Amino acid sequence: WGVPVLMTFEDYEIAAMKTRLPSAGSEYVTLGLIGEIGEFYGKWAKCLRDGKTWDDDDMKKELGDILWFLAALCHESGTTLSEVAGMNIKKLAGRAKRKTLQGSGDNR
């Protein structure tokens, strides 16, 4: 595939969606994302329980699985990781400017 180690969101989405099976519809993507997040936290919990350090490569693999499902969910929703990331940074920069990073509520 000739995939670089470092890539843009756009490059990632193009490559990731080439691996998406036709049967991986919106319900699968949504449930899969939830499942991968649960798996991530489950492995972390076991490390805490057992007093072990989580291997960095294993953690990155789990985060990669989450990223794949997030990219697929963005695709399903008619948006991109880049658009979502940009909107999020704009929101957070506004909160930082207004000194409202702490607190609760979506519109602070």
Side-chain angles (χ1 to χ4, degrees), residues 16-80:
M17 291 309 98
K18 287 180 182 177
T19 67
R20 187 173 175 183
L21 298 172
S23 59
S26 60
E27 288 178 347
Y28 170 78
V29 167
T30 302
L31 295 172
L33 177 60
I34 294 166
E36 289 298 338
I37 292 169
E39 186 175 341
F40 177 89
Y41 281 110
K43 286 187 176 189
W44 185 10
K46 288 177 184 174
C47 286
L48 292 172
R49 176 196 66 198
D50 298 339
K52 295 183 178 178
T53 302
W54 195 353
D55 176 69
D56 285 347
D57 285 338
D58 190 39
M59 179 182 63
K60 290 174 188 176
K61 288 176 185 176
E62 293 302 327
L63 290 171
D65 291 342
I66 292 168
L67 183 61
W68 186 94
F69 278 99
L70 183 57
L73 187 58
C74 286
H75 186 80
E76 280 292 314
S77 301
T79 189
T80 64

